[in-house]
């Protein structure tokens, strides 16, 4: 099985996998870390991990297997916060070949594209296929997902830095509608988290942050730039097209 629990790593984790948990833990144990849901998940040992050593076809197959396990687990979610498991996909240090925020984002999109190429399920009819529209979200195994790209190159926007390795933080997208959706309590929750982002990062939140289904583009919220600037670029992800761009072997 590719999916590993936080408890398993805490008890028997070694090497770079243990290092990833220590890195993540040092951030999420900080009372100032903006995402209160992530802090709760870490405190209650709800985190799930998939560790990816490189970008060969077997590495991507390993990741796809772990993500399939995660989607199946999420399909039976009972709606409680204490069983809302976030997935952290951590890549070995030499797997990405990236140094800048932009390079890490390019790597992340290439991984999502390759996952799409091996997705066993069709794209859900209810989700848009054009990333440059508000109806799009990354989907895998029939489930819409939100994918947060966190990298060691993020030095200003610290809320997108979980340590020395590139990490995709993945949650079922519709889970955000339950806890932080367009309801009075949801809007308060979202406002609280974004105010915490401002304080933690020391700069105003990214103008790309928005809510699904409004005018905000979901893909631009996956990978946030360091600076608050207008963006006119288009999403590199192409729905329905296999475009493998990386085949670099990584080990640690």
């Amino acid at each position: 099985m590719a999916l590993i629990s936080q408890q398993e790593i805490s008890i028997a984790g070694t090497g770079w996998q243990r290092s990833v948990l220590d890195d993540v833990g040092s951030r999420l144990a900080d009372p100032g870390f903006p995402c209160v849901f992530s802090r709760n998940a870490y405190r209650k040992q709800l985190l799930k991990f998939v560790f990816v050593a490189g970008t060969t076809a077997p590495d991507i197959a390993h990741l796809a297997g772990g993500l399939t396990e995660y989607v199946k687990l999420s399909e039976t979610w009972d709606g409680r916060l204490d069983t809302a498991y976030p997935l952290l996909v951590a890549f070995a240090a030499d797997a990405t070949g990236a140094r800048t925020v932009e390079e890490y984002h390019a790597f992340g999109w290439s991984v999502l594209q390759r996952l799409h190429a091996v997705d066993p399920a069709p794209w859900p009819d209810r989700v848009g296929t054009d990333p440059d529209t508000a109806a799009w979200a990354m989907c895998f195994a029939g489930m819409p997902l939100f994918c947060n790209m966190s990298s060691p190159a993020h030095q200003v926007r610290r809320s997108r830095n979980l340590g020395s390795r590139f990490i995709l933080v993945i949650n079922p997208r519709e889970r955000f509608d339950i806890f932080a959706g367009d309801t009075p309590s949801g809007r308060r929750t979202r406002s609280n988290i974004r105010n915490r982002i401002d304080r933690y990062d020391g700069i105003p939140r990214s103008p790309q942050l928005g809510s699904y289904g409004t005018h905000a583009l979901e893909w631009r919220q996956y990978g946030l730039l360091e600076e608050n600037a207008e963006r006119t670029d288009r999403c590199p992800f192409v729905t329905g097209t296999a475009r493998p761009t990386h085949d670099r072997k990584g080990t640690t």
Side-chain angles (χ1 to χ4, degrees):
M1 294 179 63
L3 198 65
I4 303 175
S5 72
Q6 181 181 346
Q7 281 183 314
E8 290 175 293
I9 304 168
S10 297
I11 295 171
T14 60
W16 75 277
Q17 297 184 358
R18 179 72 203 199
S19 173
V20 166
L21 178 59
D22 290 343
D23 267 356
V24 170
S26 69
R27 269 73 174 176
L28 299 189
D30 182 344
F33 191 82
C35 183
V36 292
F37 299 117
S38 296
R39 295 195 67 243
N40 176 73
Y42 173 73
R43 187 170 60 251
K44 297 184 176 178
Q45 300 203 50
L46 301 177
L47 303 181
K48 303 292 184 184
F49 289 85
V50 174
F51 293 96
V52 186
T55 55
T56 64
D59 293 318
I60 297 300
H62 170 77
L63 170 55
L67 187 52
T68 300
E69 290 179 54
Y70 177 72
V71 167
K72 288 181 179 177
L73 176 66
S74 300
E75 286 174 342
T76 59
W77 181 50
D78 60 9
R80 294 186 301 117
L81 183 60
D82 287 350
T83 55
Y85 304 105
L87 172 63
L88 280 70
V89 178
F91 293 84
D94 58 357
T96 65
R99 298 179 61 185
T100 66
V101 169
E102 290 77 10
E103 289 171 348
Y104 277 111
H105 287 171
F107 173 80
W109 283 110
S110 75
V111 169
L112 295 183
Q113 191 71 59
R114 293 181 67 187
L115 280 172
H116 180 48
V118 299
D119 188 349
W123 198 262
D125 291 338
R126 66 186 186 282
V127 180
T129 57
D130 182 356
D132 286 302
T133 65
W136 181 90
M138 173 66 190
C139 296
F140 189 82
M143 178 174 284
L145 304 167
F146 185 85
C147 306
N148 167 320
M149 298 182 185
S150 292
S151 84
H154 280 96
Q155 298 299 313
V156 176
R157 210 172 295 284
R158 297 190 303 132
S159 54
R160 290 294 178 115
N161 183 328
L162 291 175
S164 62
R165 290 173 174 84
F166 179 71
I167 294 179
L168 287 172
V169 183
I170 298 176
N171 284 280
R173 201 213 60 72
E174 291 169 346
R175 192 170 291 170
F176 293 95
D177 295 340
I178 296 174
F179 294 127
D182 192 21
T183 64
S185 64
R187 288 191 289 273
R188 283 195 298 272
T189 298
R190 194 164 59 245
S191 176
N192 176 47
I193 291 175
R194 292 180 177 173
N195 288 336
R196 290 171 62 88
I197 289 173
D198 295 344
R199 292 193 294 270
Y200 186 79
D201 289 348
I203 61 169
R205 72 201 70 171
S206 169
Q208 276 78 49
L209 288 178
S211 301
Y212 182 77
T214 61
H215 298 296
L217 296 181
E218 192 83 343
W219 74 269
R220 285 185 177 155
Q221 301 179 66
Y222 288 15
L224 296 179
L225 301 178
E226 289 279 71
E227 67 280 6
N228 287 337
E230 182 181 356
R231 293 181 65 174
T232 58
D233 52 327
R234 297 183 65 83
C235 182
F237 185 91
V238 179
T239 308
T241 304
R243 296 192 312 166
T245 57
H246 279 66
D247 192 18
R248 184 183 299 109
K249 183 177 181 180
T251 52
T252 59

